[in-house]
Amino acid sequence: MVSGILHPATPSRSVLEAFINRHQYLLELERKAEEEQTRLLNSKCSPKLLEQRGLALGGLGCSNISVGLGGKSLIELNRPSAYHTSPLLPPHTFRSGDPVRIETHISSSATNKTKGKKKDGEDENAVEGIIYKISQEKVVVAVDEKKEIDLPERLRLLKLANTVTFDRMDKTLLHLKRIILPEEGSSTPNIPNFPLINSLLGIQLPSWSDEITPPIKQHEENIQKESDVTWFDENLNDSQKAAIKFCLKANDVACIHGPPGTGKTHTLIELIFQFLSRPANPNTTQPPRILITTPSNLALDNLLLRLHALSQLPTYSDLLPPGSILRLGHPTRVHKDLIGETLDYRAANGDEGELLKDVGSELQGHLSDLGKKRGEKGAVKGKERGKKWEEIRELRKEYRQREGKVVTSVVSRAQVVLATCHSAGSRQLNNIIFDVAIVDEATQAIEAVCWVPILKAKKLILAGDPQQLPPTIMSKEDKSLKPVEGLAEELNGIDVKSHTTLKPPKTLETTLFERLESLYGEGIKRVLQIQYRMNEIIASFPSDTLYSSALISHSSVARRTLLDLPVIKDSEVGTTEEGKDVLEPVAVFFDTAGCEFYERTEGNDEMGVTKKEKGSLGEGSKSNENEAVVVSKWARKLIGLGINPVDIGIVTPYQAQVSLISSMLHEEFPEMTIGSVDGLQGQEREAIILSLVRSNPTGEVGFLGEYRRLNVAMTRAKRQLCVVGDSSTVGKGSKYLKKWMEWLENEADVRYAGDEAI
């Protein structure tokens, strides 16, 4: 038994029932909140405001319709040169997997005339689908329409509430309920992952083996047991090695806590290959099948890219030969090598894909004909269109039947499958049990969605950082939520000194990672301790405030600045007065206190929005034009001195500020990242410019007060962190913010923002 593991009291049937029922109730609240917000946004906000909030893209055109997995129509949308000077999409919040509607473009000037008359979804030509892939210039939407697709010339893309994810989580919780709470008189289900499920619910203690299972080669060649692990990457530090050994010895569940820059993903990659080099269990010489999941596509592709790159190298390729990595869904990164690892690509282009080619070609031909506009040569008219759509429906049925066999064959050959937590429940993985499931960024996922991959695995590894981005929860805390009758007494009757126990959640923000730590104590996890990203000055504040001063900066990064970049060292810029002034400081603070750089709330002039509805619409997105000018000037100074735009990240908590700063810089420097905190978790840049936006006489900071979001923002910077904000407003927001403002005053190069905004 691993030391430091607490022994929780075994939960009763009533506690288990209350645990699942409370999850179902909170999920229903969240579903309703998301649907209500979407309804209000789409009915009350102008097209211009929806675009500012990143929830709509207007003025689009259809450039192509093709065939995708499942016979779906893939509608490619872009910005036609007839209406736009640049083909680049403006800042938005669309991601692969988001549900959307394609509808007729509505101009801002026409809005007031139509507002209140047009009901949601009244557009006859509108079609709904899922974003299949997205790039800087194009969005591809997968549509499974029964009716004819007849799109107008100018289109708008609108974000919808994601009800599909909620349906899958509900189904998963019902399945879990049937497993752990079988009806009285019925037999306990015989499933291979009972020990894992019981460990996660505190029904039985998780266990660890005394020894790590030797590699398969040692088994085959009957080599005597080695006392230690042979590492693929010999540069791992001691805390990374300890975390990997901890996971290899785990029989049920283990957690890895990875603070910023500590190489969590790097550690997970080594762990995956260590698993693959060993037998799945004592009764076989075959390696384990591994399911890798994350709550977002971006984090998943980060893992996929590293796995793919290593699988091309000699030692690793023996464990992951071609065809053994499979990605469900479509990568967010446009990378030809990653596309080749997807199920869609393999099904269409592998040996089995020949089965689909003739039906696919016929489907493609029909869709191309129907995609032609009226008056265009070869356009299909009148009754002929109806006939063509009838043929498409029949071809799709045939396509799906053949495709089922192809998909089964492709999936069965994969040793490592990657999917988002939600898409791990897709039909392609039905009835497959994996030996190991890994959930990365587990502290960013609500518990219910983690159960989707969990129910497909015998062993679970969770990796994340509870001090970084939490799950995004839209529903307000329900004050009317009553305790389950008799449950409080039952829980209070447990001797707290000697026992913890499973408790129904109060909020969806409590993640599985945090709940397990609360249930079993810190012994359930191993913490990575050395960070390889930030200059020690940048790392010092998060280390002292959130990581018990235990975050150690590696010597290779502790003192580095922008002056040490090769592009600067090779020029004489670093020796000039301006070069030193801009590139030498590690922390820069443009304090706008007293400058009257006040924030502005977007959409305050929207008509017909009641006070109650304003609350449902969420905090109006804020912008601060003067701050945006300061940010833009600093970014241009960095670029002018030789810093590559791709090495600069501009981060702000508000989508309206993202749009404002983008309007100043995006077209000129499209490769520079300008975005919200959420889009940057797991990433890093040489220089980060952080715009805090909030500046008001009352000291209101809104969700800027969420310390975990700020922790992510400030820990993306490798060599320089530049903060632009009002210390008098921000310092009133919370004790944490006050401490941070004091730290900036003492440690940063403080500059007067008023000089920059002129």
Side-chain angles (χ1 to χ4, degrees), residues 63-134:
S63 54
N64 188 32
I65 300 179
S66 58
V67 183
L69 204 64
K72 291 183 173 70
S73 302
L74 298 181
I75 301 174
E76 188 176 286
L77 305 174
N78 67 352
R79 302 182 91 203
S81 56
Y83 307 116
H84 303 281
T85 54
S86 168
L88 297 174
L89 298 174
H92 56 78
T93 62
F94 292 95
R95 301 284 181 269
S96 294
D98 284 348
V100 292
R101 182 164 67 239
I102 305 171
E103 58 184 29
T104 305
H105 173 80
I106 306 168
S107 67
S108 298
S109 57
T111 309
N112 292 332
K113 297 173 191 173
T114 59
K115 197 177 273 188
K117 295 179 186 176
K118 205 168 189 181
K119 289 181 183 173
D120 196 22
E122 201 177 283
D123 185 349
E124 288 179 8
N125 292 324
V127 292
E128 294 187 3
I130 300 290
I131 290 191
Y132 176 68
K133 64 177 174 179
I134 194 158

Side-chain angles (χ1 to χ4, degrees), residues 234-259:
E234 294 174 1
N235 296 317
L236 294 166
N237 65 52
D238 289 344
S239 66
Q240 291 170 328
K241 289 176 180 177
I244 292 165
K245 287 180 180 179
F246 180 66
C247 295
L248 291 173
K249 287 180 180 180
N251 296 320
D252 313 297
V253 60
C255 301
I256 298 176
H257 183 168

Side-chain angles (χ1 to χ4, degrees), residues 272-286:
I272 290 162
F273 282 104
Q274 289 293 344
F275 272 133
L276 291 171
S277 69
R278 291 169 164 72
N281 61 66
N283 304 316
T284 182
T285 56
Q286 293 302 306

